[in-house]
Amino acid sequence: MKMILCLFLLVACTQGEDLLNDQKNCKQNDISIMTRLCLRKGYQPNLKGCEGANTDQKLNDRELKLCKDAELKLKACKFTCDGKLTKFGYYWPTDEPAPGPDPTPGPNPYPTDPIPNPDPSPEEIYTKCAHVDINFHGTDFYNKISRSTPDCVEDCLKTESCKSITYRHSDRRCFFKSQRGGTGPTKAAGHTSVNMGCDRSHTDMTCEREGINFEGADIRNIVTPDIEECVLLCKDTENCKSITYWESRHTCFLKSKYGGASGPKKQNDLTSMNMECDNSPVTNLNCLREGIIFHGADLKHIITADEEECVKHCRDTEQCVALTFRESDHLCSLKSRRGGHGPVKAAGHNSMNLECDNSPITNLNCLRDNTDFPGADIRNLIVADEEECVRHCRDTETCASLSFRESDQRCFLRSRRGGQSGPRPQAGINSMNMECDNSEVTNLDCIREGIVFHGADIGNLLAADEEECVRFCRDTEFCKAITYRESDHRCFLKSMRGGQGPVPGAGHNSLNLKCDNTPVHNLNCLREDISFHGADIRNIVASNEEECVKHCRDTENCASFTYRLSDKRCFLKNRKGGNGPQKANGHNSMNMHCDNSPVTSSLLCLREDLWFVNADIMNIIATDEEACARYCRDNERCVAISFRKHDHRCYLKSREGGQPGPQVIDGHNSMNMECDNSDVDLSCAEENDNFPGHDILNILREDLEACVRICRDTTDCSAVSYDEIQKRCFLKRKSFEWWEKVSTVNYWSMNLSC
């Protein structure tokens, strides 16, 4: 401890900060108690340069005894201070700002432009961020021998995934950690732990909640001299959002959620604190709903003086968005959902959301008289009228619509627009969506006469005509299309555009709420004498390919079709190119979107005498590589091809480079549809180093540059090792850290992402 303190003093002096004078015999624990507890709470010691803060905080009897004992010990070791914290950052206990430089006559000696701060050195990080006799537990991904803690820090800094270290002095073992603070600090003599960056700014302690326990969500607990050091450890622990400090036992509990797992609990001798909090005045009590319980969704119950204190506890709790206050015993129930699981009338209870809408109700034009939205119920209760029902819906999370029954003034809150399956005629019930479309129906040009949109039904009901049917669809969540049966005026609401595909049906008219009636201009995508095999949605007779295009436009997920000339049968497909092209006389196929641009740029990716093994979608005869590439363009899953020259066989591939990757085979040419032909930068290559294991495959290549290019062409290839003697290229499926490489003569290794 003395050695660490001396090192700290040396660094502090070099920075021009005379924090401590002649205190080699002072114990860090006594300094911490004085500077971080006593001075903060206004204690005025008889120590040179030390001044307590001007604060309303009071020391309890135990704390006062600690301060007096610390003062005696610090006097004996000739401790002095200038009002700043030592190891834990700077703190000025008075309300005065830290003094600036002495006034200097003449021009301002300080530049107006900010001076860039260079990256801190390992020694600076160590001095600022080190925790002595602390182990950052867990999240280890590598360990090695290092000469010192700063050397350990230096190695961590050059490792991208290293966020912190623990150094064990007994065997000079350096442990790399993937998280700041590991999974939390533990006491461990002879260990020093350091984050690669730390926050030593002054912490606002006004977030302290005395007599409160934030239960659960514990990351770790550890003994600390005071709550300030507990806060410091929370700052240094990834995902730590709050703490609870047990004063009599000096135990610090680090928490992963604001307010703990479910909120505060009153408990003497405990103090809790969120790292961030809202101490502003409570100004939202106009959201209070008197005589109402927000049922369920409880996080925690706690006794409070009034609703205002209840709001403050809700603010402190991570998931809290609402509360219910019971007047009889002052029980405050914190809620994880706006409105809980719905309102219930109950005298002596008041409830509120932290955020609410009290604006005037202006959407009663959405009311549908004598119509029920059945199902999707959240809650029901008695109300004065539809307007009050709307207000309850506003207050309830996920409420999208409501029904009001006039006979008993019962309000039904619903979680879906239009209820579960759409509107139903029902005398004496009025229903409405919180948002609606009352505009004129102007899309009747989307009607397809003599067509049924088969399947995908939400519900059905009687409607006067297609226009009324469209209005019902507008009012129903997920409704995208309708089919109207003229014989009995039955309106079928559909959850998919075109249902599950069109079917001829005399006396039926169907319509998508949105449709495309523009002229067909994409017949240049037609591929003659080609069938797109499989991936069928539905088939229907059509007069020609143009009509087939229109059916595909009207059908959700239709990406392509095949048209059979012999019987004018149109096959709608849910994938570009179906499951792949096949030669078929009398069949014409097309994608709704296609690329007919020249293939010349893609042919720059062609790799001669290479075969992309496996990952086949299908194969087809093609005149040359260019025709093969066009087949690939037309197929949704195709990203690469291999072309066998002797029989003109074209293989469409679903993985770049095939699976696992390329092989050298004469008479075969392969290419990815997209590739990287840019210059290879070999500046990152490491001579006489080998990346061991994690091989995808190995292949003969003439040099390291060719090896890197083949890696670029191979899915999942992240690094290479190259044997100069054997001319063998090893493709690797991961990038390697500096410590993983193995010294190997005549090998070169390189990460592609260096």
Side-chain angles (χ1 to χ4, degrees):
M1 177 64 77
K2 291 180 180 179
M3 183 175 70
I4 297 299
L5 184 56
C6 291
L7 176 61
F8 171 75
L9 289 171
L10 178 61
V11 174
C13 290
T14 61
Q15 295 172 338
E17 298 288 353
D18 185 14
L19 302 180
L20 306 172
N21 295 319
D22 191 24
Q23 51 183 352
K24 293 180 181 178
N25 296 320
C26 295
K27 291 186 177 179
Q28 184 63 50
N29 188 54
D30 296 327
I31 298 171
S32 177
I33 289 172
M34 178 57 64
T35 57
R36 300 177 60 211
L37 170 64
C38 307
L39 296 182
R40 285 186 190 279
K41 291 197 174 183
Y43 185 75
Q44 303 294 342
N46 185 16
L47 295 170
K48 184 178 178 182
C50 297
E51 183 179 356
N54 182 12
T55 177
D56 294 333
Q57 295 186 71
K58 302 296 182 184
L59 294 165
N60 59 37
D61 292 342
R62 182 187 64 80
E63 292 171 336
L64 187 60
K65 183 177 184 304
L66 283 173
C67 292
K68 289 180 177 179
D69 290 344
E71 181 181 1
L72 290 173
K73 293 174 184 176
L74 294 175
K75 274 185 182 179
C77 66
K78 299 180 181 179
F79 174 82
T80 66
C81 66
D82 61 1
K84 297 178 183 176
L85 286 184
T86 57
K87 178 181 172 184
F88 307 98
Y90 302 119
Y91 168 72
W92 289 85
T94 67
D95 293 331
E96 300 282 326
D102 293 335
T104 304
N108 182 3
Y110 300 100
T112 55
D113 293 333
I115 300 174
N117 292 320
D119 291 335
S121 68
E123 289 77 10
E124 289 171 330
I125 291 173
Y126 164 69
T127 302
K128 180 181 179 182
C129 301
H131 291 276
V132 179
D133 293 332
I134 291 290
N135 174 31
F136 287 165
H137 183 78
T139 72
D140 296 9
F141 64 89
Y142 178 66
N143 66 81
K144 66 184 289 286
I145 300 296
S146 292
R147 291 177 299 173
S148 65
T149 310
D151 284 345
C152 183
V153 170
E154 184 175 4
D155 285 340
C156 182
L157 285 172
K158 65 184 183 183
T159 306
E160 185 176 354
S161 53
C162 187
K163 304 293 180 61
S164 64
I165 59 101
T166 290
Y167 184 73
R168 190 167 62 201
H169 296 272
S170 61
D171 57 359
R172 298 186 299 167
R173 180 69 60 180
C174 168
F175 297 87
F176 288 9
K177 312 279 181 176
S178 61
Q179 285 190 182
R180 292 175 51 256
T183 57
T186 59
K187 292 281 187 181
H191 293 68
T192 299
S193 294
V194 188
N195 286 321
M196 295 305 100
C198 61
D199 177 7
R200 293 296 178 262
S201 62
H202 171 54
T203 300
D204 182 6
M205 301 298 289
T206 60
C207 292
E208 280 186 78
R209 309 298 186 230
E210 293 187 3
I212 291 293
N213 178 18
F214 288 166
E215 284 191 310
D218 289 3
I219 297 171
R220 183 80 52 188
N221 67 77
I222 186 171
V223 173
T224 62
D226 50 43
I227 191 171
E228 284 81 4
E229 187 168 350
C230 184
V231 169
L232 182 73
L233 290 173
C234 186
K235 280 184 173 182
D236 278 358
T237 303
E238 195 160 320
N239 301 320
C240 185
K241 297 181 179 179
S242 65
I243 57 112
T244 290
Y245 189 69
W246 195 344
E247 296 185 12
S248 62
R249 299 189 180 184
H250 295 279
T251 303
C252 164
F253 297 85
L254 307 181
K255 311 279 182 177
S256 62
K257 295 175 71 172
Y258 295 115
S262 56
K265 175 183 176 182
K266 294 202 173 182
Q267 195 165 341
N268 293 333
D269 201 31
L270 296 178
T271 298
S272 294
M273 173 177 158
N274 289 320
M275 293 299 104
E276 298 176 359
C277 68
D278 178 4
N279 284 328
S280 62
V282 174
T283 58
N284 60 337
L285 290 178
N286 60 336
C287 291
L288 206 62
R289 309 304 186 222
E290 296 184 359
I292 291 291
I293 291 175
F294 287 167
H295 181 75
D298 292 350
L299 290 168
K300 181 73 70 176
H301 306 287
I302 186 170
I303 301 298
T304 61
D306 50 27
E307 289 94 336
E308 185 170 338
E309 184 183 350
C310 190
V311 170
K312 291 179 178 179
H313 285 308
C314 188
R315 282 180 178 177
D316 277 346
T317 303
E318 184 162 318
Q319 295 174 282
C320 188
V321 294
L323 59 93
T324 291
F325 182 75
R326 189 165 65 199
E327 295 174 340
S328 61
D329 56 0
H330 292 252
L331 185 69
C332 163
S333 301
L334 307 182
K335 310 282 181 175
S336 63
R337 288 167 61 100
R338 290 179 53 258
H341 291 301
V344 175
K345 297 219 171 183
H349 294 73
N350 302 325
S351 297
M352 67 177 270
N353 293 315
L354 292 194
E355 296 180 0
C356 68
D357 178 4
N358 285 331
S359 62
I361 291 171
T362 58
N363 61 336
L364 288 178
N365 60 337
C366 291
L367 205 61
R368 309 302 187 223
D369 291 342
N370 297 315
T371 298
D372 186 18
F373 290 169
D377 290 4
I378 299 172
R379 179 82 47 189
N380 67 79
L381 70 165
I382 302 296
V383 296
D385 51 26
E386 288 96 334
E387 186 168 334
E388 184 183 348
C389 192
V390 169
R391 294 193 183 279
H392 285 305
C393 190
R394 279 183 178 177
D395 278 345
T396 305
E397 194 165 319
T398 73
C399 186
S401 66
L402 60 92
S403 292
F404 179 74
R405 191 165 63 200
E406 295 174 339
S407 62
D408 56 0
Q409 295 183 297
R410 189 158 296 274
C411 165
F412 297 85
L413 306 181
R414 316 231 183 237
S415 62
R416 289 175 64 164
R417 291 175 53 255
Q420 184 65 33
S421 55
R424 294 283 184 278
Q426 184 69 53
I429 295 181
N430 303 326
S431 297
M432 68 176 269
N433 291 315
M434 298 300 285
E435 296 179 359
C436 68
D437 178 4
N438 285 330
S439 63
E440 292 184 12
V441 175
T442 58
N443 60 338
L444 292 179
D445 59 334
C446 292
I447 285 181
R448 309 304 185 223
E449 295 183 357
I451 292 291
V452 173
F453 287 166
H454 180 76
D457 289 2
I458 298 172
N460 65 81
L461 71 164
L462 294 178
D465 50 27
E466 288 92 337
E467 183 172 337
E468 187 177 6
C469 190
V470 168
R471 293 190 182 280
F472 286 137
C473 186
R474 283 180 178 177
D475 277 346
T476 304
E477 194 160 327
F478 307 124
C479 187
K480 299 179 181 179
I482 63 159
T483 290
Y484 184 74
R485 191 165 62 201
E486 295 173 337
S487 61
D488 57 358
H489 297 268
R490 180 68 57 180
C491 167
F492 297 86
L493 309 180
K494 310 283 181 174
S495 62
M496 294 177 67
R497 289 178 52 257
Q500 293 171 340
V503 175
H508 293 74
N509 301 324
S510 295
L511 170 152
N512 289 317
L513 293 193
K514 296 179 180 179
C515 69
D516 178 3
N517 285 331
T518 60
V520 174
H521 291 305
N522 59 337
L523 289 178
N524 60 337
C525 291
L526 206 62
R527 309 303 186 223
E528 295 184 358
D529 295 326
I530 291 290
S531 171
F532 289 165
H533 178 72
D536 290 0
I537 298 172
R538 188 160 300 278
N539 66 78
I540 186 172
V541 172
S543 57
N544 53 34
E545 289 94 337
E546 185 171 335
E547 186 181 344
C548 195
V549 169
K550 293 179 178 179
H551 285 308
C552 191
R553 281 180 177 177
D554 277 345
T555 305
E556 192 163 323
N557 301 322
C558 186
S560 64
F561 67 82
T562 291
Y563 185 73
R564 191 165 62 199
L565 298 171
S566 61
D567 57 358
K568 300 184 183 298
R569 182 69 58 178
C570 168
F571 297 85
L572 307 181
K573 313 279 182 176
N574 61 20
R575 296 172 76 161
K576 272 186 66 192
N579 291 330
Q582 291 181 344
K583 298 272 188 178
N585 292 333
H587 293 72
N588 298 331
S589 296
M590 74 175 258
N591 292 314
M592 298 300 286
H593 301 282
C594 69
D595 179 2
N596 285 331
S597 63
V599 179
T600 49
S601 59
S602 296
L603 291 177
L604 296 174
C605 295
L606 200 64
R607 310 302 185 222
E608 295 186 357
D609 296 325
L610 275 185
W611 176 253
F612 289 169
V613 180
N614 296 325
D616 291 358
I617 298 170
M618 66 164 26
N619 64 80
I620 188 171
I621 299 296
T623 54
D624 52 24
E625 290 91 337
E626 184 173 340
C628 188
R630 291 191 184 281
Y631 285 130
C632 188
R633 279 183 177 177
D634 277 345
N635 187 269
E636 185 171 313
R637 294 186 297 149
C638 188
V639 295
I641 62 163
S642 285
F643 183 74
R644 192 165 63 199
K645 291 194 286 187
H646 80 268
D647 60 356
H648 294 263
R649 182 67 61 178
C650 165
Y651 294 83
L652 308 185
K653 308 282 182 177
S654 61
R655 278 173 64 97
E656 291 184 342
Q659 172 68 33
Q663 289 183 359
V664 177
I665 301 181
D666 291 342
H668 294 71
N669 298 332
S670 297
M671 64 178 264
N672 293 318
M673 298 303 289
E674 295 180 359
C675 67
D676 178 3
N677 282 331
S678 62
D679 292 340
V680 175
D681 180 6
L682 296 178
S683 61
C684 294
E686 300 283 346
E687 188 175 6
N688 294 326
D689 279 328
N690 179 28
F691 290 160
H694 302 281
D695 290 2
I696 297 172
L697 54 78
N698 64 81
I699 185 171
L700 292 175
R701 292 284 89 184
E702 60 272 20
D703 54 29
L704 178 59
E705 182 176 338
C707 182
V708 171
R709 291 192 183 279
I710 209 74
C711 183
R712 286 179 176 177
D713 279 345
T714 304
T715 300
D716 298 332
C717 187
S718 300
V720 300
S721 287
Y722 183 70
D723 182 344
E724 279 191 306
I725 303 300
Q726 301 293 328
K727 302 293 183 185
R728 190 158 292 280
C729 168
F730 297 85
L731 307 184
K732 308 287 181 176
R733 61 174 47 91
K734 70 177 286 280
S735 295
F736 288 76
E737 295 284 2
W738 57 270
W739 71 82
E740 294 179 287
K741 60 190 180 184
V742 176
S743 180
T744 309
V745 176
N746 297 321
Y747 266 72
W748 288 82
S749 291
M750 174 177 159
N751 289 317
L752 265 64
S753 61
C754 71

